Amino acid sequence: MSAALVVGAGISGIACAIAMAEAGVIPLVVDRGRAVGGRMASRTLRDTGTAFDGRVVDIGASYFTVSTPEFRAVVDDWIARDLARPWTNSFHVASSDGVEAVRSGPVRYAANGGLRSLIADSASKLPNVWSSIDVTSVSADDTSLIVDGERRSAVALCMPNAQAHRLIDTSLLSPSLEASLTGITYEPVIAVTAVFDQQCWEDFDGMFVNDDPVITWIANDGSRRGDDAPVLVAHVNPVLAARHLDEPASVLPLVLATMSRVLSLTSQPTWVDAHRWTYAKPMTAHREPFHLDEHRLLGLAGDAWADGPKVETAWLSGHLLGEELARRLLDSE
Ligand SMILES: Cc1cc2nc3c(=O)[nH]c(=O)nc-3n(C[C@H](O)[C@H](O)[C@H](O)COP(=O)(O)OP(=O)(O)OC[C@H]3O[C@@H](n4cnc5c(N)ncnc54)[C@H](O)[C@@H]3O)c2cc1C
């Protein structure tokens, strides 16, 4: 039978595939995006009219935290190879009117080459990772799973549950699976990148903007990446983002006015862009680390599992699903 298949090359899919490969089962990994990374997304600046073209900006996840020994080992390896680094444990807290306090918390980690580079590095350990492949259907007959007409020994769907739900044939949806898939609501986010000619704000790493109807968070991408470039990334309040998903750029005037007020900016950015994340973050997550169908080797992993929703839990979910799928595949041989 053809190879086991992992759909989704975000952190959960790549963790799943690596766990399978380490156990001796090499899967094919496919993703519909042009590059791996999923929501750990970084874009390269181009045609900004500033000196920062060619620089990478994180436009998805802002950072990650580490609490489990399993993920700690992965992160320590990235740090040892200068791919990731501890960024900060202090964020500013602001209201709509300006900065109020600085609060300490867990260490947040960032990536020197942008968060996507961590997934690209991990994916480079796998022989078969194909991008620009949009999977449209997962069904089954009496003997095997079938993905877009191809028979598969095992299938892991590593993506937001709402996206997985659309792929799975109704004949495979037990009432409990249907409830698991539809029971999680995702918040949208619009990420606004603003590139300035030079820094025109007081130093900060990241800033939570509480109770503001326009933005919830501003990351200082220059501090995050460690090059001090004057680049900010703001996240739009999910309620406002939901109203602008069809035309994300329409939030720009409001976001720039709010950033300007909160940070007391003394000049305007030279270049701005808005990126839409329809399924940015699940509002709740299942406690189970992953879902595995009772009858077939069809699994689900991602940040809606393992007590998500964050980078670390998505990694753990994919990793544990990969170990289990490999164990069952090897047992069935
Ligand atoms: C704006 C934003 C800010 C965030 N901030 C943080 C943060 O600060 N800290 C933190 O820990 N987490 C944060 N998160 C959450 C974090 O990014 C996610 O929890 C994590 O990246 C999820 O990884 P994943 O592999 O489960 O899913 P994804 O990264 O979404 O990967 C799923 C992959 O599946 C692919 N795919 C989907 N459907 C198909 C299909 N039909 N065919 C083929 N491929 C398909 C997609 O292209 C995608 O690459 C943030 C997320 C967003 C969007």
Side-chain angles (χ1 to χ4, degrees):
M1 191 175 300
S2 20
L5 180 72
V6 175
V7 186
I11 192 162
S12 63
I14 294 298
C16 179
I18 288 176
M20 293 175 83
E22 284 175 351
V25 176
I26 310 278
L28 168 65
V29 184
V30 297
D31 196 290
R32 68 182 178 190
R34 275 175 299 167
V36 300
R39 280 170 281 165
M40 290 175 73
S42 319
R43 71 172 286 176
T44 303
L45 296 173
R46 298 200 199 291
D47 301 326
T48 63
T50 69
F52 304 103
D53 284 359
R55 184 184 181 279
V56 167
V57 184
D58 282 316
I59 58 167
S62 294
Y63 53 79
F64 57 89
T65 49
V66 184
S67 63
T68 57
E70 294 91 341
F71 191 53
R72 161 65 56 206
V74 174
V75 174
D76 281 349
D77 172 59
W78 287 334
I79 292 172
R81 291 185 295 123
D82 215 18
L83 297 173
R85 69 188 175 89
W87 170 29
T88 182
N89 69 351
S90 295
F91 285 147
H92 285 63
V93 179
S95 69
S96 303
D97 299 323
V99 177
E100 290 180 341
V102 179
R103 300 248 161 82
S104 292
V107 173
R108 277 76 165 198
Y109 292 83
N112 300 330
L115 290 176
R116 192 198 297 279
S117 70
L118 303 177
I119 308 305
D121 173 74
S122 302
S124 70
K125 298 180 183 137
L126 295 161
N128 299 314
V129 181
W130 299 353
S131 42
S132 304
I133 305 283
D134 191 0
V135 168
T136 58
S137 78
V138 179
S139 59
D141 61 15
D142 289 345
T143 56
S144 61
L145 288 157
I146 302 171
V147 178
D148 289 346
E150 293 257 354
R151 291 183 181 280
R152 296 290 173 189
S153 53
V155 176
L157 301 178
C158 299
M159 60 184 66
N161 280 7
Q163 291 177 330
H165 187 218
R166 288 204 289 264
L167 304 183
I168 303 174
D169 189 81
T170 47
S171 64
L172 299 182
L173 286 173
S174 64
S176 69
L177 176 55
E178 176 113 47
S180 296
L181 290 172
T182 54
I184 304 276
T185 307
Y186 286 78
E187 281 185 337
V189 167
I190 294 172
V192 171
T193 304
V195 182
F196 296 74
D197 286 321
Q198 56 192 21
Q199 181 174 330
C200 57
W201 54 84
E202 296 289 320
D203 284 344
F204 73 102
D205 294 325
M207 187 177 294
F208 292 110
V209 185
N210 292 334
D211 303 322
D212 183 81
V214 180
I215 57 177
T216 56
W217 159 256
I218 308 169
N220 180 347
D221 199 66
S223 137
R224 176 163 61 187
R225 295 276 321 291
D227 66 354
D228 289 333
V231 178
L232 301 177
V233 179
H235 288 173
V236 171
N237 185 310
V239 176
L240 181 66
R243 296 209 298 268
H244 291 262
L245 287 178
D246 287 342
E247 212 183 327
S250 60
V251 295
L252 287 173
L254 259 179
V255 170
L256 293 179
T258 307
M259 267 171 52
S260 206
R261 189 177 65 246
V262 171
L263 294 174
S264 304
L265 297 179
T266 53
S267 63
Q268 288 299 305
T270 305
W271 183 90
V272 287
D273 184 62
H275 183 93
R276 163 186 59 204
W277 295 103
T278 305
Y279 300 109
K281 293 179 201 171
M283 294 174 75
T284 53
H286 298 295
R287 298 211 71 179
E288 297 82 11
F290 53 79
H291 172 84
L292 189 53
D293 187 87
E294 283 170 43
H295 309 291
R296 303 169 183 85
L297 293 184
L298 171 62
L300 303 169
D303 63 350
W305 302 92
D307 256 345
K310 48 189 180 177
V311 163
E312 177 171 23
T313 52
W315 178 88
L316 195 60
S317 172
H319 173 76
L320 293 173
L321 175 62
E323 284 187 338
E324 183 63 15
L325 282 176
R327 192 179 66 73
R328 297 215 190 179
L329 275 168
L330 294 169
D331 281 354
S332 68
E333 274 177 4

PDB file of all heavy atoms in Angstrom, residues 160 311 325:
ATOM      1  N   PRO A 160      -6.164  23.001  11.664  1.00  0.00           N
ATOM      2  CA  PRO A 160      -7.341  23.359  12.457  1.00  0.00           C
ATOM      3  C   PRO A 160      -8.483  22.373  12.198  1.00  0.00           C
ATOM      4  O   PRO A 160      -8.706  21.943  11.060  1.00  0.00           O
ATOM      5  CB  PRO A 160      -7.682  24.767  11.950  1.00  0.00           C
ATOM      6  CG  PRO A 160      -6.369  25.329  11.510  1.00  0.00           C
ATOM      7  CD  PRO A 160      -5.628  24.157  10.911  1.00  0.00           C
ATOM      8  N   VAL A 311       1.852  26.839  20.102  1.00  0.00           N
ATOM      9  CA  VAL A 311       2.880  26.151  19.324  1.00  0.00           C
ATOM     10  C   VAL A 311       3.296  24.859  20.036  1.00  0.00           C
ATOM     11  O   VAL A 311       3.363  23.790  19.430  1.00  0.00           O
ATOM     12  CB  VAL A 311       4.094  27.097  19.121  1.00  0.00           C
ATOM     13  CG1 VAL A 311       5.325  26.340  18.695  1.00  0.00           C
ATOM     14  CG2 VAL A 311       3.739  28.193  18.121  1.00  0.00           C
ATOM     15  N   LEU A 325       0.602   6.305  15.526  1.00  0.00           N
ATOM     16  CA  LEU A 325       0.357   5.786  14.177  1.00  0.00           C
ATOM     17  C   LEU A 325       1.473   4.821  13.765  1.00  0.00           C
ATOM     18  O   LEU A 325       1.211   3.756  13.192  1.00  0.00           O
ATOM     19  CB  LEU A 325       0.260   6.935  13.165  1.00  0.00           C
ATOM     20  CG  LEU A 325      -1.058   7.718  13.137  1.00  0.00           C
ATOM     21  CD1 LEU A 325      -0.957   8.877  12.150  1.00  0.00           C
ATOM     22  CD2 LEU A 325      -2.239   6.807  12.766  1.00  0.00           C
TER      23      LEU A 325
END
